[in-house]
């Protein structure tokens, strides 16, 4: 697979201007999706640029509809470069201040943290970032989470009883799980989990876990979807995945014999997809407006009902039979998600243990 590596630069970006809002072509008054007026926010419609360039590690199937809504609402021309999150972050670093990117919409917090540490992001308005719990945003306000996803151990209820499942992810290194596990070592979400494991438990403990699972002869799959599909067929008993893949499958077939198991440690890591504004942005006002748009109630409900992720803005609940984020946070060690940026050493560890 491609090795993904971030280049680190020195510097902290300064804050950009205030929050602008969208203009309704059918009204003399600019409004946001939530009905706030330009006057209420101290802005005028003329301050909103009519172009926006987004570098998106989130694929078009997940966010394309929302971008169309934002384009219609603002009348702006939106250009989106879709691609791998890590590769797009690397592109922004390589392009330097000549990068056309106004906004980086990353699939995981590690890439957002890498751009922040490289000095390529700006401080976001406190009114924006404070909509999201401090666990799911940059401590310095340089990026903010939009949606959350939880690592779960999904299991086939015909093959495993809930009380048989260990409370720790390390419990699956027990030989009794020989031949019963499914995982996807080349998948980005799995590698982010291993990075989290390294950060919270240390290098030796992370290596011990990888070696223990490998010794149990797990079945290897290319991605989360194929793991959950294998679980529905009874091909494996348990699988390490993100929570929303099962939620999607259950929308079509609610009777599948598969449920979530949330461990009481880093095995239930909460990672985020989030947004940062690039410090060389040519269109900073509309970039901030887009960030605000993603956190409004309508967009957050869209993510909850269409992508089955956890909404991160206050007051919007997740859909489905899921533990609340507050319950999950009680289980895991507190972690600064910006520190999930060291993917390079995770890849080295996976290669050292001969897993990839």
């Amino acid at each position: 697979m491609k090795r993904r590596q971030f280049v680190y630069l020195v510097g902290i970006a300064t804050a950009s201007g205030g929050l602008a809002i969208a203009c309704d072509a059918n009204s003399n008054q600019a409004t946001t999706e939530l009905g706030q007026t330009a006057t209420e926010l101290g802005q005028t419609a003329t301050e909103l640029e009519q172009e926006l360039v987004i570098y998106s590690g989130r694929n078009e199937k997940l966010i394309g509809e929302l971008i169309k809504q934002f384009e219609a609402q603002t009348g702006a021309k939106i250009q989106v470069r879709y691609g791998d999150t890590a590769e797009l972050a690397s592109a922004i670093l390589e392009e330097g201040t000549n990068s056309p990117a106004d906004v980086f919409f990353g699939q995981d917090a590690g890439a957002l943290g890498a751009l922040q540490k490289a000095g390529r992001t700006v401080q976001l308005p406190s009114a924006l970032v404070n909509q999201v719990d401090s666990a799911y945003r940059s401590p310095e306000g340089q990026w903010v989470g939009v949606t959350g996803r939880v690592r779960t151990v999904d299991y086939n209820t015909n093959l495993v009883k809930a009380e048989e499942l260990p409370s720790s992810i390390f419990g699956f290194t027990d030989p009794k799980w020989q031949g019963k596990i499914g995982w996807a070592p080349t998948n980005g979400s799995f590698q982010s989990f291993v990075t989290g494991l390294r950060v919270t438990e240390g290098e030796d403990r992370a290596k011990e876990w990888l070696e223990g699972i490998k010794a149990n002869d797990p079945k290897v799959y290319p991605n989360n979807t194929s793991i959950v599909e294998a679980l529905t067929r009874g091909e494996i008993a348990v699988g390490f995945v993100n929570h929303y893949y099962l939620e999607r499958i259950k929308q079509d077939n609610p009777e599948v014999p598969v449920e979530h198991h949330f461990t009481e440690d880093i095995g239930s890591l909460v990672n985020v997809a989030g947004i940062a504004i690039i410090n060389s942005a040519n269109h900073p006002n509309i970039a901030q407006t887009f960030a605000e748009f993603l956190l409004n109630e309508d967009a957050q409900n869209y993510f909850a009902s269409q992508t089955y992720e956890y909404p991160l803005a206050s007051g919007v609940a997740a859909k489905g039979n899921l533990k609340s984020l507050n319950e999950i946070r009680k289980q895991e060690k507190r972690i600064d998600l910006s520190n999930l940026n060291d993917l390079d050493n995770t890849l080295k560890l996976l290669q050292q243990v001969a897993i990839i």
Side-chain angles (χ1 to χ4, degrees):
M1 64 173 294
K2 290 184 179 179
R3 290 177 63 83
R4 290 177 273 174
Q5 185 176 23
F6 292 114
V7 179
Y8 295 105
L9 307 175
V10 178
I12 299 297
T14 56
S16 62
L19 181 67
I21 62 172
C23 180
D24 182 348
N26 297 319
S27 172
N28 293 325
Q29 195 171 38
T31 62
T32 66
E33 192 73 20
L34 294 179
Q36 293 170 293
T37 67
T39 302
E40 288 170 344
L41 293 177
Q43 299 287 331
T44 64
T46 57
E47 292 177 335
L48 192 67
E49 305 94 348
Q50 288 298 293
E51 293 182 47
L52 179 66
V53 179
I54 302 168
Y55 278 28
S56 178
R58 311 226 67 197
N59 70 49
E60 189 171 5
K61 290 181 180 179
L62 295 177
I63 66 165
E65 180 59 34
L66 281 178
I67 289 175
K68 288 180 182 178
Q69 290 179 22
F70 183 74
E71 194 168 35
Q73 176 185 328
T74 61
K77 178 182 178 182
I78 313 296
Q79 299 179 49
V80 187
R81 176 178 172 182
Y82 292 102
D84 175 83
T85 287
E87 291 174 359
L88 289 174
S90 293
I92 291 171
L93 295 177
E94 291 167 5
E95 292 164 353
T97 57
N98 292 321
S99 177
D102 297 309
V103 166
F104 176 64
F105 195 175
Q107 179 72 3
D108 66 77
L112 291 158
L115 288 178
Q116 175 182 333
K117 291 176 182 180
R120 293 308 318 277
T121 56
V122 302
Q123 186 174 336
L124 300 171
S126 58
L128 192 160
V129 298
N130 287 341
Q131 295 180 59
V132 173
D133 188 283
S134 60
Y136 310 120
R137 52 182 163 93
S138 160
E140 297 77 25
Q142 300 272 316
W143 59 263
V144 64
V146 174
T147 59
R149 58 188 181 279
V150 182
R151 293 297 293 177
T152 62
V153 181
D154 286 357
Y155 66 100
N156 183 299
T157 56
N158 293 330
L159 301 177
V160 182
K161 295 179 180 178
E163 56 268 25
E164 297 175 324
L165 295 163
S167 60
S168 169
I169 196 68
F170 287 89
F172 291 97
T173 62
D174 190 303
K176 73 179 183 180
W177 296 102
Q178 178 85 23
K180 298 179 180 180
I181 300 171
W183 68 353
T186 61
N187 182 262
S189 61
F190 175 82
Q191 292 172 1
S192 292
F193 156 70
V194 175
T195 305
L197 189 65
R198 291 175 47 236
V199 169
T200 57
E201 303 294 333
E203 300 291 339
D204 292 343
R205 189 81 165 128
K207 182 180 179 183
E208 176 187 330
W209 183 80
L210 289 168
E211 290 175 337
I213 299 297
K214 181 183 177 184
N216 276 338
D217 192 26
K219 290 183 172 62
V220 177
Y221 296 90
N223 51 42
N224 290 279
T225 299
S226 56
I227 291 174
V228 177
E229 289 173 346
L231 282 166
T232 66
R233 298 190 298 267
E235 190 174 299
I236 49 177
V238 297
F240 306 142
V241 295
N242 284 344
H243 80 275
Y244 50 80
Y245 292 93
L246 176 58
E247 298 305 310
R248 292 173 185 173
I249 286 177
K250 284 198 169 187
Q251 293 303 307
D252 296 325
N253 186 1
E255 303 303 319
V256 293
V258 182
E259 296 293 341
H260 296 305
H261 173 60
F262 296 86
T263 66
E264 297 177 6
D265 56 9
I266 194 65
S268 285
L269 170 70
V270 181
N271 203 343
V272 304
I275 192 166
I277 296 175
I278 304 307
N279 66 343
S280 55
N282 293 314
H283 313 105
N285 286 338
I286 196 169
Q288 290 185 15
T289 305
F290 181 64
E292 184 70 25
F293 170 82
L294 292 175
L295 292 178
N296 76 32
E297 185 175 359
D298 289 337
Q300 290 285 288
N301 277 319
Y302 174 89
F303 285 120
S305 62
Q306 300 300 314
T307 69
Y308 309 106
E309 296 168 282
Y310 280 86
L312 292 183
S314 302
V316 183
K319 310 294 184 185
N321 184 27
L322 299 172
K323 278 192 174 184
S324 72
L325 287 177
N326 284 335
E327 290 178 283
I328 295 167
R329 278 185 59 193
K330 292 175 183 177
Q331 299 174 351
E332 64 177 38
K333 293 181 180 179
R334 186 68 176 239
I335 181 173
D336 179 355
L337 294 176
S338 294
N339 291 330
L340 298 184
N341 59 4
D342 188 15
L343 179 60
D344 191 51
N345 281 319
T346 291
L347 295 175
K348 288 178 181 176
L349 177 60
L350 292 170
Q351 290 170 341
Q352 180 185 349
V353 184
I355 290 174
I356 61 173

